[in-house]
């Protein structure tokens, strides 16, 4: 069964949408690939929506999608990225392009 993670992301104040995309699509993705090794998700991509409906103050600049073969694969990545060294490295980079206080993550587990 497939295990999916959706991330609703807001760019950091003061950076352009193009800079946000560059950081998330290239620098962050490559850093995660390097850290994760074989625990990297089967599928991982970002999309950049235009708000069609909803409150004007609810705005997301990007949607991340990660797909794993199962929950165990997701937990393996979580364990790797959660080590003190890897967590510090990822969080330091996150702060350069993400408004980390506004990120939302949703998990869809086909087994539930």
């Amino acid at each position: 069964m497939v295990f999916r993670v959706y991330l609703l992301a807001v760019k950091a104040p003061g950076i352009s949408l193009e800079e946000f995309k560059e950081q998330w699509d290239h620098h962050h993705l490559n850093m995660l690939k390097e850290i994760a090794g074989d625990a990297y998700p089967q599928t991982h991509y970002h999309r950049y929506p235009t708000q069609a409906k909803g409150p004007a103050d609810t705005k997301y600049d990007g949607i991340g999608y990660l797909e794993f073969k199962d929950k165990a694969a997701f937990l393996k990545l979580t364990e790797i990225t959660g080590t003190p060294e890897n967590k510090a490295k990822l969080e330091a980079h996150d702060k350069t392009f993400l408004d980390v206080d506004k990120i939302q993550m949703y998990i869809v587990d086909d087994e539930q």
Side-chain angles (χ1 to χ4, degrees):
M1 302 306 276
V2 177
F3 191 88
R4 298 174 184 90
V5 176
Y6 296 88
L7 184 74
L8 303 178
V10 177
K11 69 180 184 66
I15 68 167
S16 70
L17 185 58
E18 290 308 312
E19 185 177 356
F20 170 73
K21 289 178 179 181
E22 173 69 22
Q23 289 298 319
W24 204 20
D25 287 342
H26 302 289
H27 302 286
H28 191 76
L29 211 65
N30 289 333
M31 184 183 300
L32 184 58
K33 284 179 183 177
E34 180 183 314
I35 289 170
D38 66 353
Y40 190 76
Q42 290 176 305
T43 304
H44 184 182
Y45 58 81
H46 306 133
R47 297 293 184 258
Y48 300 94
T50 311
Q51 185 170 353
K53 186 176 178 180
D57 63 342
T58 304
K59 182 180 180 301
Y60 298 97
D61 299 299
I63 300 171
Y65 176 79
L66 294 83
E67 187 175 285
F68 301 84
K69 69 178 181 175
D70 55 24
K71 186 175 183 177
F74 167 73
L75 293 174
K76 181 178 179 184
L77 177 64
T78 302
E79 182 180 337
I80 292 168
T81 59
T83 66
E85 181 183 343
N86 290 336
K87 184 176 180 179
K89 187 175 182 180
L90 289 164
E91 286 179 352
H93 186 248
D94 286 352
K95 291 176 186 175
T96 68
F97 72 101
L98 289 168
D99 188 335
V100 294
D101 294 329
K102 294 183 180 176
I103 293 172
Q104 292 188 37
M105 185 187 322
Y106 295 90
I107 293 173
V108 179
D109 185 352
D110 284 354
E111 294 180 15
Q112 291 183 345

